[in-house]
């Protein structure tokens, strides 16, 4: 069987602020579409004439597309050049935004969501590979925290800009403006990546060929058990994260009577807090805190946040709604930092892409389940309370996984 030869790792003269900014942008570009859809959910539901459940299906399709492509994308990230991966990431996002701007119609949004899934997936393996090869081990956790905060920076930008742009120029105008912005970011990013050899396309062909053959040594089947445990953590945290991210603006509008702009602001606030929390969790890992211990704190705080959400709806307490928004950003939005740092410690350089693809698959599978489940509950019950309770159940499972991780680490 042919063996895929990993591409030479980039030789970085200095891992500085420009490179870190590229990684942060790369993480934030892909989610622009789903955060934009979420931030304008009330407007789009009315314009498209669909139900909340049908709207949730859009994001589910996106994350199913991402989960299905995660394993092969992760393997490709081990052999594609960083330049090629950035073009794939940014270019796929631009294409999806342009397709979504055709109308908008429900079917064009479905197609856009299918297209952007693989573009989102490649960001994690790409940025992890750069950090592994460019950054000293003692600084990697801090870098992971900063680059993962790019996702929440994207949430902030989308929450603030998409509602305003959509009210002024419609969804199509907002999507076209976002696509133009992504192209500018691609141009800037390509000017600030480290020098490297071009992609070895024979290695790429080998990876694609091996995808349809029996598993070879070094594939996901032979990854350490820690990687699969982190994939489970990513799944359950992902369920709750996206159920909340997608429906938070709609919850603000329908249950608390806020305007579309304030609903977007709530999502943006969660993103701002999420940026800070991801940096904090990354620094805590860099200071020697164990992943299991941090996951205990994260899952406990996330449970409290869901209690605030449910209670705010039951007794119409806006203060608890905002407390839930902040706790969401402080806790579960930081899970990905712990997962990525732990995964990076569990494998060697030749399997960073495959391991990252595995945990990313778990995350996007959770992302796919959360929104469609929340949408179905909203349709059946006419409210959000039961949905927040079930998100809390997912976080309780996450707490159990954290306890198991702590005990396993202690025995080791």
């Amino acid at each position: 069987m042919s063996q895929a030869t990993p591409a030479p790792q980039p030789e970085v003269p200095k891992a500085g602020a420009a490179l870190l900014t590229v990684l942060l942008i790369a993480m934030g570009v892909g989610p622009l579409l789903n955060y934009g859809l979420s931030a304008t959910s009330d407007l789009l539901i009315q314009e498209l004439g669909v139900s909340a459940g049908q709207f949730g299906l859009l994001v589910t399709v996106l994350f199913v597309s991402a989960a299905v492509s995660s394993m092969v994308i992760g393997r490709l990230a081990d052999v594609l050049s960083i330049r090629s991966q950035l073009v794939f990431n940014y270019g796929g996002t631009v294409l999806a935004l342009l397709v979504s701007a055709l109308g908008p119609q429900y079917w064009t949004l479905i197609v856009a969501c299918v297209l952007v899934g693989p573009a989102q997936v490649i960001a994690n393996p790409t940025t992890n590979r750069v950090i592994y090869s460019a950054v000293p081990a003692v600084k990697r956790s801090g870098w992971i925290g900063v680059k993962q905060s790019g996702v929440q920076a994207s949430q902030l930008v989308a929450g603030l800009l998409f509602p305003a742009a959509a009210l002024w120029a419609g969804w199509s105008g907002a999507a076209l403006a976002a696509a133009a912005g992504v192209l500018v970011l691609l141009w800037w990013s390509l000017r600030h990546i480290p020098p490297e050899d071009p992609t070895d396309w024979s290695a790429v062909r080998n990876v694609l060929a091996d995808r349809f053959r029996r598993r070879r040594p070094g594939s996901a089947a032979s990854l350490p058990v820690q990687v699969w445990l982190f994939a489970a953590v990513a799944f359950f945290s992902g369920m709750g994260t996206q159920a909340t991210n997608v429906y938070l603006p709609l919850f603000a509008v329908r249950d608390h009577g806020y305007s579309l702009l304030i609903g977007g602001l709530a999502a943006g606030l969660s993103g701002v807090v999420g940026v800070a929390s991801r940096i904090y969790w990354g620094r805590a890992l860099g200071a020697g805190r164990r992943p299991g211990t941090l996951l205990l704190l994260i899952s406990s705080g996330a449970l409290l946040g869901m209690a605030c959400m449910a209670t705010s709806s039951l007794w119409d307490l806006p203060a608890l709604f905002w407390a839930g928004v902040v706790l969401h950003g402080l806790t579960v939005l930081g899970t990905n930092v712990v997962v990525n740092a732990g995964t990076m410690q569990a494998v060697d350089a030749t399997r960073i892409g495959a391991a990252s693809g595995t945990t990313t698959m778990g995350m996007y599978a959770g992302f796919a389940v959360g929104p469609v489940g929340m949408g179905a509950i909203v349709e059946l019950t006419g409210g959000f309370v039961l949905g927040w309770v079930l998100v809390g159940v997912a976080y309780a499972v996450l707490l159990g996984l954290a306890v198991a991780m702590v005990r396993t680490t202690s025995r080791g």
Side-chain angles (χ1 to χ4, degrees):
M1 179 180 296
S2 57
Q3 300 289 323
T5 303
Q9 299 298 311
E11 299 177 0
V12 183
K14 183 179 180 181
L19 180 59
L20 183 57
T21 303
V22 170
L23 302 184
L24 187 147
I25 293 172
M27 290 300 301
V29 162
L32 274 176
L33 177 63
N34 37 300
Y35 284 139
L37 290 172
S38 174
T40 57
S41 55
D42 189 60
L43 180 68
L44 280 173
I45 286 172
Q46 295 180 42
E47 185 173 341
L48 296 171
V50 298
S51 66
Q54 289 173 308
F55 180 81
L57 183 61
L58 288 172
V59 184
T60 296
V61 167
L62 188 158
F63 292 132
V64 167
S65 171
V68 168
S69 61
S70 289
M71 299 294 284
V72 67
I73 292 291
R75 293 274 309 282
L76 286 172
D78 284 328
V79 295
L80 284 170
S81 69
I82 302 303
R83 180 177 296 271
S84 298
Q85 293 179 57
L86 289 180
V87 171
F88 186 91
N89 179 9
Y90 292 52
T93 302
V94 169
L95 177 61
L97 286 167
L98 291 177
V99 170
S100 78
L102 300 175
Q105 302 176 60
Y106 190 69
W107 72 269
T108 60
L109 294 180
I110 288 283
V111 173
C113 289
V114 172
L115 290 172
V116 85
Q120 283 194 26
V121 165
I122 203 168
N124 229 18
T126 299
T127 53
N128 284 349
R129 176 181 149 191
V130 172
I131 289 174
Y132 195 100
S133 58
V135 180
V138 70
K139 296 183 178 180
R140 286 175 187 161
S141 295
W143 274 59
I144 290 172
V146 174
K147 69 99 172 175
Q148 290 296 140
S149 69
V151 178
Q152 265 51 66
S154 177
Q155 184 178 18
L156 169 63
V157 171
L160 294 177
L161 299 185
F162 265 88
L167 288 172
W168 178 61
W171 168 263
S172 296
L176 289 172
V182 172
L183 286 175
V184 173
L185 292 173
L186 173 61
W187 170 81
W188 186 88
S189 296
L190 291 178
R191 292 168 58 88
H192 292 87
I193 59 174
E196 59 177 342
D197 292 333
T199 296
D200 180 356
W201 292 104
S202 64
V204 174
R205 287 193 294 271
N206 288 341
V207 166
L208 294 175
D210 286 344
R211 178 69 182 85
F212 300 99
R213 301 172 182 169
R214 64 179 177 84
R215 294 184 185 274
R216 62 180 183 85
S219 70
S222 63
L223 291 171
V225 68
Q226 298 99 310
V227 173
W228 295 102
L229 185 56
F230 280 123
V233 168
F235 175 77
F236 286 102
S237 64
M239 284 177 59
T241 295
Q242 286 304 326
T244 306
N245 285 345
V246 171
Y247 283 97
L248 182 61
L250 190 63
F251 176 59
V253 171
R254 292 193 176 180
D255 273 34
H256 291 287
Y258 291 122
S259 68
L260 186 70
L261 290 176
I262 297 299
L265 178 63
L269 173 62
S270 179
V272 170
V273 177
V275 169
S277 76
R278 288 190 166 192
I279 294 172
Y280 169 79
W281 297 119
R283 288 180 175 175
L285 285 162
R289 300 293 294 275
R290 291 184 296 182
T293 303
L294 297 183
L295 287 173
L296 281 174
L297 296 173
I298 286 172
S299 53
S300 299
L303 275 169
L304 179 59
M306 286 305 103
C308 289
M309 288 290 193
T311 306
S312 76
S313 182
L314 283 172
W315 287 292
D316 191 22
L317 297 171
L320 285 181
F321 164 74
W322 292 104
V325 169
V326 172
L327 282 169
H328 176 64
L330 282 174
T331 59
V332 73
L333 293 186
T335 308
N336 232 350
V337 176
V338 181
V339 168
N340 277 276
T343 301
M344 195 171 292
Q345 294 168 8
V347 297
D348 58 30
T350 63
R351 293 193 293 172
I352 284 293
S356 298
T358 300
T359 56
T360 300
M361 178 187 65
M363 179 182 69
Y364 279 112
F367 283 2
V369 172
V372 72
M374 178 66 88
I377 290 167
V378 172
E379 287 298 304
L380 288 172
T381 66
F384 291 84
V385 175
L386 180 59
W388 299 135
V389 170
L390 292 181
V391 170
V393 171
Y395 292 158
V397 176
L398 180 62
L399 179 61
L401 289 169
V403 171
M405 190 177 295
V406 169
R407 290 179 176 177
T408 301
T409 305
S410 298
R411 285 197 300 269

